[in-house]
């Protein structure tokens, strides 16, 4: 089984308007609601690949129920921890006449110690050797940066495997707990090691330092430049399929979905990575929050061989 964990989910609401007009009422030309959060994106991409996963995390209030219902309708299993606060809403207003947008993200509801303990209990009840767990995204107020480290220690001790996709202090502490795989992008890796732009030129040096920071394996994603694969035995740069980029946001989450799909079938990371690249590229080629399809991935994977 593949589990995805989204601790700070959001209802993503996009409103389209013709152009920005302040101090007046604008009429929306259209609106769209999406389930926001890295773990959800991974589950949604897995669904496109016909792979089952269980989405876990905190949901609260009406927005939380809306997320749960939407994911269920998409065919994704959910096993959420209910909280008393209201799940946040992130709002984008896109002016199509001007190709400009405004995005406002709420911080998210405060999570209490008891709610956190309840989530930890659900995770422990699901732990089974050989399963894969994807941990990703920002943390809600009230949750310590150590949370991913604690979860990774539990998961790996049970003989299951953790994949970490986060940033900042949560990523640094999570890495120390030795996840099976970490998937930073270049910016997250640079920040983690406090590298100057010049130091970034020598990838073999800083990738070795990144591996030393804890994870058993690393994929550093480089957008259209592909990715770096870093393991004890291997250091290589891998090309990504060539596509016409529409919207690269969420490409990293799709990449994680592609990788965990193949790893969960028993393939090596070397075998799984091309699927990650193909999934990332497929999603980058779609506009808005749409994710790549299985047909696209099947086509793009041919370019990775
Ligand atoms: N323009 C592109 N052309 C081809 N492949 C792309 C492009 N953009 C992204 N990809 C693929 O997707 C992978 C992940 O992209 P990227 O490095 O942008 O992830 P990210 O910054 O973590 O994204 P996010 O956090 O928004 O999901 C890349 O390694 C690459 O394989
Ligand atoms: Mg990312």
């Amino acid at each position: 089984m593949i589990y995805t964990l989204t601790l700070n989910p959001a209802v993503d609401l996009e409103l389209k308007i013709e152009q920005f007009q302040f101090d007046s009422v604008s009429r929306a030309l259209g609106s769209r609601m999406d389930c926001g959060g890295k773990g959800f994106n991974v589950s949604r991409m897995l669904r496109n690949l016909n792979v089952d996963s269980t989405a876990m995390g905190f949901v609260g209030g009406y927005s939380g129920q809306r997320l749960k219902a939407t994911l269920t309708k998409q065919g994704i299993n959910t096993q959420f921890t209910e909280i008393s606060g209201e799940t946040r809403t992130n709002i984008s207003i896109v002016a199509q006449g001007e190709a400009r947008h405004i995005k406002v993200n709420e911080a998210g509801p405060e999570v209490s110690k008891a709610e956190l303990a309840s989530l930890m209990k659900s995770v422990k009840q699901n732990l089974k050797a050989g399963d894969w767990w994807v941990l990703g995204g920002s943390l809600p107020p009230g949750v310590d940066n150590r949370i991913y480290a604690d979860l990774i220690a539990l998961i790996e001790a049970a003989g299951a495997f953790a994949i970490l996709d986060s940033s900042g202090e949560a990523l640094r502490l999570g890495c120390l707990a030795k996840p099976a795989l970490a998937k930073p992008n270049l910016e997250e890796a640079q920040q983690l090691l406090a590298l100057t732009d010049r130091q970034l030129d020598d990838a073999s040096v800083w990738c070795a330092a990144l591996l030393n920071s804890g994870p058993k394996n690393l994929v550093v994603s480089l957008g259209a430049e592909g990715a770096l694969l870093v393991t004890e035995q291997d250091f290589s740069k891998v090309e990504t399929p060539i596509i016409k980029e529409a919207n690269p946001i969420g490409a990293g989450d799709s990449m994680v979905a592609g990788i965990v799909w193949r790893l969960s079938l028993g393939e090596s990371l070397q075998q799984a990575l091309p699927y990650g690249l193909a999934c990332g590229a497929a999603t980058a080629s779609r506009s808005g929050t749409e994710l790549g399809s299985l047909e696209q991935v099947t086509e793009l994977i041919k370019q990775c061989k």
Side-chain angles (χ1 to χ4, degrees):
M1 174 50 90
I2 300 170
Y3 294 92
T4 65
L5 206 67
T6 306
L7 298 180
N8 199 17
V11 168
D12 276 342
L13 196 62
E14 188 186 273
L15 295 172
K16 269 205 178 73
I17 57 171
E18 184 52 42
Q19 59 184 22
F20 286 104
Q21 272 179 316
F22 295 97
D23 308 319
S24 74
V25 176
S26 299
R27 193 175 293 275
L29 302 174
S31 70
R32 188 191 156 99
M33 178 263 179
D34 275 302
C35 299
K38 282 196 175 302
F40 294 167
N41 287 343
V42 175
S43 278
R44 284 172 54 220
M45 187 64 194
L46 285 170
R47 187 69 276 147
N48 285 6
L49 300 167
N50 283 332
V51 180
D52 284 335
S53 68
T54 297
M56 298 181 71
F58 297 115
V59 295
Y62 173 70
S63 302
Q65 290 312 314
R66 196 173 173 192
L67 279 186
K68 197 166 143 179
T70 307
L71 289 169
T72 304
K73 210 167 139 198
Q74 291 173 359
I76 295 164
N77 308 316
T78 62
Q79 207 184 309
F80 288 123
T81 302
E82 305 272 342
I83 57 172
S84 63
E86 178 84 19
T87 291
R88 66 189 173 139
T89 299
N90 293 340
I91 297 182
S92 307
I93 303 177
V94 181
Q96 52 181 38
E98 302 179 56
R100 305 185 75 176
H101 75 278
I102 284 181
K103 187 160 179 13
V104 184
N105 287 1
E106 279 191 308
E110 182 92 20
V111 172
S112 72
K113 291 234 160 20
E115 289 163 345
L116 183 59
S118 169
L119 176 109
M120 292 305 246
K121 194 172 151 203
S122 306
V123 169
K124 281 182 197 158
Q125 282 169 348
N126 285 342
L127 284 178
K128 204 160 73 25
D131 281 348
W132 287 86
W133 290 76
V134 177
L135 316 177
S138 68
L139 301 177
V143 171
D144 192 279
N145 277 326
R146 218 165 284 282
I147 179 80
Y148 286 137
D150 292 347
L151 286 163
I152 291 162
L154 279 175
I155 291 163
E156 298 274 332
F161 307 101
I163 299 181
L164 179 62
D165 181 4
S166 191
S167 55
E169 193 59 4
L171 171 64
R172 192 184 71 79
L173 293 170
C175 283
L176 288 173
K178 305 193 186 309
L181 176 68
K183 204 290 300 157
N185 61 23
L186 190 62
E187 191 186 336
E188 289 154 354
Q190 179 173 16
Q191 198 199 11
L192 184 75
L193 296 169
L195 298 171
T196 62
D197 286 348
R198 262 189 67 187
Q199 285 172 314
L200 268 189
D201 292 341
D202 207 346
S204 66
V205 173
W206 64 258
C207 282
L210 207 56
L211 200 63
N212 257 329
S213 75
K216 295 185 184 109
N217 301 284
L218 276 159
V219 169
V220 182
S221 67
L222 310 170
E225 298 293 309
L228 299 167
L229 170 69
V230 194
T231 71
E232 285 284 338
Q233 302 84 25
D234 242 330
F235 171 69
S236 44
K237 181 158 188 277
V238 208
E239 308 264 309
T240 184
I242 297 164
I243 48 105
K244 189 165 177 288
E245 184 179 288
N247 181 3
I249 296 171
D253 305 335
S254 290
M255 172 181 232
V256 171
I259 293 172
V260 73
W261 167 35
R262 304 310 291 195
L263 290 176
S264 73
L265 297 176
E267 293 185 358
S268 67
L269 182 58
Q270 285 76 3
Q271 291 168 312
L273 184 56
Y275 287 87
L277 296 157
C279 287
T283 290
S285 75
R286 307 294 282 250
S287 60
T289 49
E290 245 187 290
L291 305 178
S293 68
L294 180 59
E295 294 68 44
Q296 260 185 304
V297 172
T298 312
E299 207 40 53
L300 290 172
I301 192 80
K302 294 179 192 156
Q303 277 191 53
C304 298
K305 289 200 169 137

